[in-house]
Amino acid sequence: MQQALNDNLNKIKFLTGNAESLVNINKIFAKEPFNDEIINFLNDLSQSLILNREAKNYSDVVTFAFWIRKSSSLKLKERFYDKNNLSLGKGVVFHVAPSNVPVNFAFSLASGLLTGNANIVKVPSKDFAQVNLIVEALNKVLSDERYKALKDYIYLIKYERDKEVNDLLTGLCDMRVIWGGDNTISEIRKSPLNAWAGEVTFADRYSIALINSNYYLNLDLNLKRKAAQDFYNDTFFSDQNACTSPRAVIWTGNKINEAKKEFWRLEHELVKNKYNFQDIQAVNKLTSFYILAADKLNVKLENGFEDNLIMRAEVKELELDLMNYKDNSGYFFEYEVKENILEIKNLLDNKKCQTLAYLSDDVQELKDLIMSGLKGVDRIVKFGKTMDFDLIWDGYNLFAALTRIISFD
Amino acid sequence: MLSFEEFLNLEQPYGLNKLEKNKLLTQRLLDLTRLHKDNCLEYARMLESVNFDFNKVNSYKDLPFLPVRLFKELNLKSVADENIFKTMTSSGTTGQAVSKIFLDKLTASNQQKALVKIVSSFTGSGRMPMIIIDCPSVIKNRLMFSARGAGILGFAIFGAKSIYALDDEMNLNLEAIREFLDKFRDKKILLFGFTFMIWQHFYKALKNNNLKLDLSNGILIHGGGWKKLLNEAVSPEEFNKRLEDVCGIKSVHNYYGMVEQTGSVYMECECGHLHASNFSDIIIRRAFDFKECAIGEKGIIQVLSSIPESYPGHSLLTEDEGILLGEDDCPCGRMGKYFKVLGRMQKAEIRGCSDTYAASFK
């Protein structure tokens, strides 16, 4: 038994914490959500990251640093914490971060800490500068005498795919949080949870964007440029391969042709200057396009540019299986709403549809669309906000999932 | 429609200069585009999706090209199922999708005829005693030809009497080879195999056991790519030299070809350059905009072949990178383009939370 345990612990690389204390993680007391110690700790970590010159090069690290500032934590506290309730963290949370989003692990950890839990976080095994920056800063703040007691609440680890290690860590936790995709979820689910334990899973999702052509054309050039930058952050920044990245652009209003031209012209300008284009992406996108064209009627390649940075497949109908044909790195389906926004229902009426990013002033139209009873769409956000993390994500309330309320009569 | 016979009737397989070739090939490839548009629904839809217009084609350079991976994802054919004579597949590793290429009798026969024309301009006409550097089991299942099996059967036509150099456990059959060489002592011997197989199971077996063979009178033709040999840091020059060390062979010709365009292979000449024959051509394209590269500029290799009538594979975008070295002016005297293959394009490093291995293939 002991030997097997040691063998498995030896497969784990600890970036924070160590094996001896990890096996005793169950003995740690849960904390009150949003307690001062945690809020101050995160605020110090935020400071340390904001002052770090290297961190400035990574907008995702900066975003994280802002998300854990004291003011931001207090806002979350106000939104989620009800002081009339007696509540505590669930205990131990085992987080499995996605392998190719560098900073997601940090948001997951911060969520676990803010809700009063001890945390085991599997960080991406790939070497990301962002991960190193955050881990280094975190260890530095953690070495401060004031936060000594928090050491037992944070384990940042790396290990290669291994069922036995998954078993071990799952056995230690009261809540498991798996940040997809689908294959990772089914892999980790082979390790059974304790009977009392719960799970939050973020499956593979897709997202879409909606632009009202009249609204867009009325923006001044600065705002149009901002829209281009926002859209870039929503898509190209993560190779258009995050679950939050729009794969399709839906156009509404009655000046679609004009708006399209302007929107894509400005987007293209930006992509040309900023995006790190990889040769094979051109071949991949052309392949995806032709597969779609072979299977569906009335598909058109809308390029308009002399290069392969942005490839757009115009579809005349939104069939239910359209997203089976999706690709990344600058590959978009485009659809023009002819009469009624409900025409796009097929694309949204699906558990896999996550975020609807909008550039429009017709909010009622969007509400009506959702309230028509769609199965999908868990977030509706403005352009540029698709990646903004919140304790409500993918339709889950993470605060509620990671805490428990003690009824006291 | 311009018949493939026109190409077969040309005396020299490397005789057409740039102008003549452009004229003949453009006509044939336009005809093939029309043929596939009329007979392959998927292909017709693809042409439609890019607003392809026959009237705007001045040269075969203006024709659309299909990425080769489409043949893994779709069943593309321009003949009725009952006319499919055989289906060739690429030799993908287990679990990967394989290309499916559907051949009718005419296309299969034209592939063979083109291959004979091309190869015999290097080996001379007439069959030769042939040593196949592979194992016999690779061609057992004749209904589903793998690229390796297809290559062997394609080249087997040049062999008068042939033996396999390896047994099914990939051991060198030294005794049989020696006996064979003894029997055809004064004859020119043809050797054929896949580059990596030759290196791994022929060269290394001889080298590691301090064995020598006398193949100074032989001609070796090999293909299949350098990918695995690059891992062992073996250059083409090194490959040739090391083989000469163990068996005295001087005439070694690599070729570039693929199961999606069997027949119209690109042979390496005496100067070490791969050549496009009359039957086919290559265009090196920039990934950034698919425009044609200049001589000496690295790009994606597009291959065009005048052969395929049973499937829409006459203009394909490969995932290989290459460099055009020149046209009509190789010191070896052959007309047409000559070029260099650099290997597979680098896989994409993609960010995002979707599982990467699931995302790369549907």
Side-chain angles (χ1 to χ4, degrees):
Chain A
M1 254 317 253
Q2 192 56 43
Q3 185 55 43
L5 176 66
N6 285 342
D7 285 351
N8 285 325
L9 288 169
N10 280 335
K11 294 178 198 161
I12 301 174
K13 186 183 165 203
F14 288 85
L15 308 179
T16 299
N18 58 54
E20 294 79 59
S21 51
L22 174 70
V23 291
N24 290 317
I25 195 167
N26 292 123
K27 298 185 181 132
I28 303 300
F29 292 112
K31 287 179 182 289
E32 188 187 352
F34 297 111
N35 65 78
D36 290 344
E37 186 190 20
I38 294 288
I39 289 182
N40 289 332
F41 169 73
L42 289 177
N43 193 55
D44 284 1
L45 175 58
S46 170
Q47 286 302 313
S48 157
L49 287 171
I50 287 168
L51 293 175
N52 184 323
R53 205 174 295 163
E54 214 199 321
K56 286 195 176 67
N57 299 326
Y58 300 96
S59 64
D60 44 358
V61 176
V62 174
T63 308
F64 172 66
F66 273 84
W67 197 74
I68 55 169
R69 274 178 316 167
K70 189 167 190 169
S71 57
S72 149
S73 295
L74 290 175
K75 263 186 216 148
L76 289 173
K77 183 175 182 175
E78 210 176 298
R79 275 172 63 206
F80 289 97
Y81 185 64
D82 181 350
K83 61 178 185 304
N84 299 317
N85 281 335
L86 211 52
S87 63
L88 279 172
K90 283 253 167 93
V92 177
V93 182
F94 172 32
H95 310 250
V96 182
S99 61
N100 42 351
V101 187
V103 179
N104 177 282
F105 86 93
F107 282 104
S108 203
L109 169 68
S111 308
L113 285 171
L114 284 170
T115 47
N117 292 285
N119 300 275
I120 307 166
V121 186
K122 183 180 191 288
V123 305
S125 40
K126 217 159 103 186
D127 220 15
F128 286 110
Q130 292 100 313
V131 175
N132 298 337
L133 270 169
I134 293 173
V135 171
E136 208 176 288
L138 187 131
N139 281 330
K140 208 178 81 204
V141 179
L142 210 50
S143 69
D144 188 315
E145 196 58 30
R146 285 178 299 158
Y147 301 124
K148 220 174 93 187
L150 284 182
K151 279 189 175 158
D152 293 333
Y153 289 79
I154 303 171
Y155 295 87
L156 297 179
I157 57 171
K158 284 188 179 191
Y159 61 93
E160 296 304 322
R161 278 162 203 228
D162 191 306
K163 166 132 189 329
E164 287 176 11
V165 180
N166 295 341
D167 287 346
L168 168 70
L169 300 175
T170 296
L172 292 172
C173 79
D174 303 294
M175 275 303 285
R176 189 165 64 183
V177 179
I178 313 173
W179 294 90
D182 292 359
N183 288 323
T184 306
I185 293 171
S186 59
E187 211 46 53
I188 305 275
R189 276 194 172 158
K190 289 177 187 159
S191 303
L193 287 161
N194 292 312
W196 65 84
E199 184 179 60
V200 177
T201 57
F202 298 99
D204 286 338
R205 310 291 296 273
Y206 63 79
S207 297
I208 64 171
L210 181 143
I211 305 175
N212 180 298
S213 56
N214 305 75
Y215 173 77
Y216 176 76
L217 287 173
N218 276 331
L219 299 175
D220 66 31
L221 186 62
N222 274 337
L223 286 175
K224 282 180 185 152
R225 287 198 191 283
K226 181 179 179 297
Q229 180 63 56
D230 286 343
F231 191 70
Y232 184 94
N233 293 344
D234 288 338
T235 54
F236 285 91
F237 182 79
S238 55
D239 290 314
Q240 200 200 354
N241 195 44
C243 43
T244 55
S245 319
R247 311 279 182 162
V249 179
I250 308 295
W251 292 91
T252 63
N254 53 23
K255 286 189 172 170
I256 294 180
N257 271 339
E258 208 184 319
K260 257 184 175 175
K261 228 183 233 161
E262 182 73 348
F263 176 79
W264 289 116
R265 185 181 68 79
L266 292 173
E267 193 61 36
H268 180 258
E269 229 174 72
L270 197 62
V271 174
K272 204 168 175 178
N273 287 326
K274 290 182 80 168
Y275 190 55
N276 176 28
F277 175 78
Q278 302 169 56
D279 287 353
I280 192 74
Q281 290 169 337
V283 181
N284 290 345
K285 291 191 283 187
L286 186 66
T287 306
S288 295
F289 172 75
Y290 273 137
I291 293 172
L292 175 73
D295 279 1
K296 305 282 178 203
L297 283 169
N298 296 322
V299 176
K300 290 276 183 215
L301 184 67
E302 292 288 339
N303 217 346
F305 305 105
E306 294 282 286
D307 60 51
N308 294 321
L309 291 172
I310 299 175
M311 227 179 258
R312 293 146 53 202
E314 160 121 353
V315 293
K316 292 273 179 248
E317 261 170 90
L318 292 173
E319 293 186 44
L320 283 167
D321 64 347
L322 183 65
M323 283 295 162
N324 293 345
Y325 297 85
K326 72 179 192 289
D327 204 342
N328 50 51
S329 312
Y331 180 82
F332 300 94
F333 304 118
E334 252 183 326
Y335 176 79
E336 302 180 3
V337 171
K338 289 174 262 313
E339 282 165 14
N340 189 323
I341 187 105
L342 288 175
E343 288 164 29
I344 70 169
K345 217 177 149 174
N346 268 350
L347 207 53
L348 283 62
D349 189 26
N350 182 329
K351 275 276 160 234
K352 283 186 162 277
C353 184
Q354 187 209 47
T355 301
L356 172 64
Y358 69 98
L359 189 60
S360 166
D361 53 357
D362 194 347
V363 177
Q364 194 53 45
E365 181 182 60
L366 299 177
K367 282 189 182 156
D368 292 345
L369 176 65
I370 300 305
M371 296 318 285
S372 71
L374 299 178
K375 287 193 209 65
V377 185
D378 287 322
R379 309 168 65 222
I380 302 177
V381 298
K382 294 203 170 81
F383 265 41
K385 303 281 181 197
T386 59
M387 303 272 270
D388 287 9
F389 185 72
D390 186 50
L391 287 179
I392 297 202
W393 190 261
D394 262 25
Y396 284 104
N397 181 333
L398 276 176
F399 174 81
L402 301 182
T403 56
R404 63 194 179 93
I405 296 172
I406 298 98
S407 42
F408 190 84
D409 212 353
Chain B
M1 180 165 166
L2 185 68
S3 152
F4 185 69
E5 293 295 316
E6 301 276 341
F7 289 84
L8 287 171
N9 291 339
L10 296 167
E11 205 159 318
Q12 291 289 334
Y14 296 94
L16 295 176
N17 67 28
K18 188 174 174 174
L19 256 151
E20 297 160 337
K21 184 165 182 177
N22 187 48
K23 189 162 170 262
L24 201 63
L25 206 54
T26 299
Q27 195 189 340
R28 169 74 179 166
L29 291 172
L30 260 174
D31 287 347
L32 286 176
T33 304
R34 238 176 238 117
L35 174 92
H36 295 307
K37 178 177 177 264
D38 293 342
N39 293 286
C40 177
L41 173 69
E42 292 88 347
Y43 185 71
R45 284 182 177 173
M46 290 184 225
L47 291 185
E48 184 67 32
S49 73
V50 293
N51 295 319
F52 176 71
D53 183 352
F54 283 94
N55 298 316
K56 286 188 182 154
V57 175
N58 295 314
S59 142
Y60 58 87
K61 290 173 185 178
D62 305 325
L63 291 171
F65 37 83
L66 306 191
V68 281
R69 212 188 305 145
L70 288 180
F71 291 89
K72 293 183 179 170
E73 307 276 336
L74 304 166
N75 291 328
L76 298 172
K77 53 193 166 209
S78 305
V79 286
D81 284 349
E82 60 266 30
N83 292 329
I84 292 169
F85 165 65
K86 62 182 176 187
T87 305
M88 301 215 288
T89 57
S90 60
S91 36
T93 33
T94 345
Q96 268 184 335
V98 292
S99 291
K100 291 158 302 231
I101 305 299
F102 302 96
L103 301 178
D104 64 357
K105 280 201 169 135
L106 179 68
T107 297
S109 138
N110 285 342
Q111 288 181 342
Q112 192 65 263
K113 286 176 185 163
L115 188 70
V116 169
K117 273 273 196 182
I118 292 168
V119 173
S120 52
S121 85
F122 287 84
T123 60
S125 52
R127 296 176 165 218
M128 289 164 280
M130 180 174 177
I131 300 176
I132 298 160
I133 306 179
D134 213 315
C135 59
S137 65
V138 72
I139 56 152
K140 285 278 156 64
N141 183 356
R142 294 219 172 197
L143 286 175
M144 286 291 277
F145 286 93
S146 72
R148 235 168 91 201
I152 289 168
L153 283 170
F155 275 87
I157 198 165
F158 303 102
K161 177 98 178 75
S162 64
I163 57 159
Y164 285 87
L166 308 176
D167 64 22
D168 282 342
E169 278 77 50
M170 306 307 273
N171 297 312
L172 191 62
N173 215 331
L174 201 65
E175 213 164 299
I177 298 172
R178 285 206 163 123
E179 208 172 286
F180 190 81
L181 290 179
D182 206 40
K183 192 166 156 195
F184 298 104
R185 201 173 308 150
D186 308 317
K187 290 265 174 40
K188 190 163 154 187
I189 308 280
L190 175 65
L191 293 104
F192 175 79
F194 286 82
T195 312
F196 182 69
M197 297 287 155
I198 293 170
W199 184 255
Q200 194 67 17
H201 302 294
F202 184 75
Y203 167 73
K204 280 190 180 169
L206 291 173
K207 174 79 185 167
N208 293 344
N209 296 305
N210 268 326
L211 298 166
K212 300 242 158 149
L213 288 171
D214 181 11
L215 288 165
S216 52
N217 203 16
I219 171 168
L220 170 66
I221 296 175
H222 66 101
W226 287 97
K227 205 169 111 194
K228 285 184 181 159
L229 282 187
L230 285 179
N231 296 340
E232 301 198 16
V234 183
S235 68
E237 295 76 24
E238 177 89 1
F239 181 86
N240 292 0
K241 197 189 150 287
R242 299 273 209 104
L243 272 175
E244 192 180 347
D245 285 351
V246 294
C247 64
I249 194 157
K250 287 180 190 69
S251 178
V252 176
H253 298 274
N254 185 22
Y255 74 90
Y256 174 64
M258 60 208 72
V259 69
E260 292 84 356
Q261 283 188 357
T262 303
S264 50
V265 296
Y266 301 83
M267 290 282 290
E268 181 189 33
C269 71
E270 299 76 10
C271 310
H273 302 147
L274 295 165
H275 277 261
S277 70
N278 295 342
F279 304 108
S280 71
D281 207 5
I282 59 135
I283 297 173
I284 309 285
R285 293 193 182 273
R286 278 179 213 145
F288 185 70
D289 51 14
F290 291 146
K291 293 218 169 70
E292 194 175 352
C293 289
I295 289 176
E297 186 186 345
K298 181 176 106 170
I300 312 173
I301 304 176
Q302 177 194 353
V303 288
L304 300 117
S305 171
S306 57
I307 301 173
E309 294 187 26
S310 57
Y311 66 99
H314 55 301
S315 170
L316 302 174
L317 190 67
T318 70
E319 294 187 6
D320 296 322
E321 288 177 316
I323 293 175
L324 180 66
L325 299 172
E327 185 167 14
D328 293 347
D329 57 5
C330 180
C332 78
R334 290 176 182 83
M335 291 286 109
K337 283 183 188 159
Y338 55 101
F339 63 103
K340 192 159 104 180
V341 176
L342 300 171
R344 278 289 150 87
M345 296 177 74
Q346 210 177 3
K347 284 207 176 84
E349 290 248 354
I350 304 279
R351 291 163 287 191
C353 41
S354 301
D355 285 316
T356 30
Y357 56 95
S360 60
F361 273 101
K362 280 181 266 287

